[in-house]
Amino acid sequence: MENNNIQLNRKDDPEKGLKRSLETNKLSMIAMGCAIGTGLFLGSGLAIQAAGPSVLLSYALGAFIVLLLMGCLAEMTVAHPTSGSFGAIAETYVNPMAGYLVRYSYWISNVLAVGVEVSAVSVYMKYWFPAVPGIVWILLFAGVLIYVNATSVNTFATFEYWFSFLKISAIVGFILLGAYVLLGTSEQPHIGPENFVNEGGFFPFGWWGMWVAVFISLFSFLGTEMIAITSGEAKDPDVAVPKALKATVFRLSTFYVLTIGIMLMIVPWKTAGIEESPFVKVMEILNIPGASGIMNFIILTAALSAMNAQLYASTRMMFSLARRENAPSILGKLNKRNVPANALAVSTMGIFIAAGVHALLPGSSYAFMMGISMFGAIFTWFMIFISHLYFRVQWEKSGGRRLPVRMIGFPYLTILGAGLLFCLMITTWFTDFKIMLQFGVPWLLFLSVAYFVSKKRNSIQHPGQESPNKKIN
């Protein structure tokens, strides 16, 4: 690969037109907003049911995988700050088909993840309005967030910043309250570290249960890669992206392990589930007047925040696909506010899928939507590790500039991350989440056929013309 194929050159970037106006603090908050959603506030109940108290190890291992992923992603994103991000990198350093599969898989993952969040919204609203059909809340909140995403990137970022600020404040408050209760101020029995070993011990479902819960924990961490996508609209990506990635991983790891640890010491793990957030259950057990309602409001905000960020991610990925001629060109157009409004419109389909699933499976829509949305995300993460193996070798051979951020332990830690993700994907076939592979394998086959059909059509329409997809600018 020639040197000029991997040097940064924004002049001829097919994704140009997006404004570079996002600052470091907003980048971090966007990633936190996407990652701290129903995965922590509602999905943690599902993880606890799968692993019992050993879920703490599940989240710790999940955080370790994310740490490895962020190391690889930070190195590559500093070299190529573009909204196509890891899709464009896979395209350049692995092959064009890999970039095609990654972009579309990540797009469908976020489209469906929007459906996961909006399904959770209907669960939270039942706390106040049990008689109102969930589909009413799905459509109402969807309309508000579509409007926010259709205005400008700064409007989106401002909403996300304050959404995330509220969530982080609530988590810190929850940790402080939990610590206050656990230090002996509460007269309630059965509260304390003994809950880690009651009801079957620390590993009530053995190591297998702990391992299965790692998969669920990864859903909680999805969204940290969002920073790489926002790099295309970041003011100073060389500085902002690595700083935001490191801060996000540290905060997420701390918040998840601490909050779930406190939760388990207050709420017996067998009572956790997804009919109600474990956070709300904690407040009910502690009998704090009005606290459960306030916590439910904060959790609702968390779901809306994650949904907001996922709409952004899916929109930018579809925009990237269109600008690189892998999707209809109309989806690559910007409106007067420099927002890819057409790509946004297509990316809202997850909301309507969620509404349909909620109508058909009102009791299990959340778990179902989570299962099918996970494949694209886990596949994307796996391909980030694979792309990094190719990237580092080719970058050094090409004589590219010295990277200010480098992944430690290369290639061993990169291979370890890829191996752990691959094993987790295979594991799902033997669990209630086999829907992930049942959806994901046909999805990849469909995309592969679509790629070759598209490639053949382009070669007929533009014989001898070099594809714009062959390099990142």
Side-chain angles (χ1 to χ4, degrees):
M1 179 175 294
E2 294 180 6
N3 188 43
N4 62 355
N5 278 359
I6 60 175
Q7 293 299 318
L8 296 173
N9 178 8
R10 297 295 299 176
K11 185 184 297 184
D12 302 318
D13 188 352
E15 296 173 20
K16 65 184 178 182
L18 298 172
K19 288 187 176 180
R20 288 189 169 274
S21 56
L22 295 180
E23 299 173 352
T24 303
N25 62 337
K26 288 187 177 180
L27 289 180
S28 296
M29 284 298 193
I30 289 171
M32 293 285 282
C34 196
I36 300 180
T38 60
L40 173 61
F41 291 110
L42 190 61
S44 56
L46 199 60
I48 292 169
Q49 283 293 299
S54 66
V55 73
L56 288 172
L57 295 181
S58 304
Y59 274 87
L61 183 53
F64 174 70
I65 294 173
V66 175
L67 183 63
L68 298 181
L69 183 83
M70 293 302 104
C72 297
L73 197 53
E75 180 179 313
M76 295 189 293
T77 303
V78 167
H80 300 301
T82 174
S83 290
S85 186
F86 31 81
I89 290 168
E91 180 181 281
T92 298
Y93 291 95
V94 183
N95 59 56
M97 183 177 177
Y100 183 91
L101 295 178
V102 167
R103 282 196 186 95
Y104 267 110
S105 293
Y106 188 71
W107 174 77
I108 195 67
S109 171
N110 275 280
V111 165
L112 294 172
V114 169
V116 175
E117 302 296 343
V118 81
S119 295
V121 165
S122 66
V123 174
Y124 301 145
M125 292 304 293
K126 281 185 179 179
Y127 181 86
W128 295 296
F129 306 100
V132 178
I135 194 170
V136 172
W137 305 115
I138 289 175
L139 297 177
L140 175 64
F141 287 112
V144 172
L145 293 183
I146 290 170
Y147 172 78
V148 169
N149 273 266
T151 51
S152 71
V153 68
N154 272 326
T155 302
F156 155 78
T158 300
F159 268 81
E160 198 57 42
Y161 182 90
W162 290 109
F163 272 155
S164 298
F165 181 82
L166 179 60
K167 286 188 293 187
I168 292 169
S169 300
I171 292 172
V172 172
F174 180 86
I175 291 171
L176 293 176
L177 174 64
Y180 179 71
V181 169
L182 292 168
L183 287 175
T185 60
S186 174
E187 298 179 357
Q188 299 214 25
H190 311 301
I191 288 181
E194 60 269 19
N195 281 339
F196 288 143
V197 293
N198 290 341
E199 306 289 349
F202 190 72
F203 290 94
F205 302 107
W207 288 95
W208 174 254
M210 187 279 292
W211 175 250
V212 170
V214 174
F215 169 77
I216 304 173
S217 79
L218 290 183
F219 180 76
S220 303
F221 289 108
L222 293 180
T224 48
E225 76 288 333
M226 173 79 75
I227 296 173
I229 296 175
T230 57
S231 67
E233 295 170 88
K235 275 187 176 181
D236 188 4
D238 282 23
V239 176
V241 171
K243 185 177 179 181
L245 281 170
K246 291 176 184 177
T248 301
V249 173
F250 174 76
R251 290 170 188 166
L252 285 176
S253 303
T254 303
F255 286 159
Y256 274 86
V257 174
L258 277 177
T259 52
I260 293 176
I262 289 172
M263 190 188 306
L264 287 170
M265 285 189 277
I266 297 175
V267 180
W269 69 266
K270 281 192 174 182
T271 66
I274 60 169
E275 294 79 19
E276 181 182 45
S277 169
F279 283 76
V280 175
K281 199 175 288 287
V282 167
M283 296 303 176
E284 290 175 346
I285 288 176
L286 296 179
N287 291 320
I288 300 174
S292 59
I294 294 172
M295 182 57 72
N296 198 65
F297 171 75
I298 291 168
I299 295 169
L300 171 66
T301 302
L304 294 174
S305 169
M307 181 180 165
N308 191 37
Q310 286 153 355
L311 267 178
Y312 173 90
S314 55
T315 298
R316 266 49 182 188
M317 197 55 69
M318 181 52 69
F319 170 77
S320 172
L321 280 160
R323 283 295 180 95
R324 293 174 185 272
E325 300 183 1
N326 287 318
S329 59
I330 193 172
L331 301 179
K333 293 187 176 181
L334 300 171
N335 63 14
K336 293 179 180 179
R337 299 184 180 91
N338 293 97
V339 173
N342 295 330
L344 171 63
V346 170
S347 298
T348 60
M349 68 170 63
I351 296 166
F352 303 103
I353 293 174
V357 170
H358 184 81
L360 295 172
L361 305 169
S364 57
S365 61
Y366 176 81
F368 179 84
M369 289 298 296
M370 184 178 114
I372 62 174
S373 72
M374 278 293 283
F375 177 80
I378 297 298
F379 174 74
T380 297
W381 281 18
F382 175 75
M383 288 303 299
I384 289 173
F385 283 118
I386 299 301
S387 299
H388 185 250
L389 292 172
Y390 282 84
F391 166 83
R392 173 69 75 84
V393 172
Q394 295 183 32
W395 184 272
E396 292 178 350
K397 282 184 178 179
S398 71
R401 67 187 176 96
R402 180 173 176 78
L403 295 169
V405 179
R406 290 173 67 85
M407 171 66 176
I408 62 171
F410 179 84
Y412 306 108
L413 291 182
T414 302
I415 294 172
L416 176 61
L420 287 171
L421 282 179
F422 182 77
C423 291
L424 282 168
M425 282 194 282
I426 299 301
T427 296
T428 60
W429 184 257
F430 306 99
T431 70
D432 292 339
F433 291 100
K434 66 188 301 181
I435 184 65
M436 187 189 89
L437 291 177
Q438 289 173 332
F439 168 80
V441 174
W443 169 255
L444 283 185
L445 291 174
F446 168 76
L447 283 184
S448 299
V449 172
Y451 173 77
F452 286 112
V453 170
S454 175
K455 186 177 179 182
K456 185 176 181 180
R457 185 182 67 246
N458 288 339
S459 65
I460 293 173
Q461 293 177 349
H462 309 288
Q465 181 176 334
E466 184 180 356
S467 171
N469 299 335
K470 290 188 177 180
K471 66 179 181 178
I472 300 177
N473 296 300

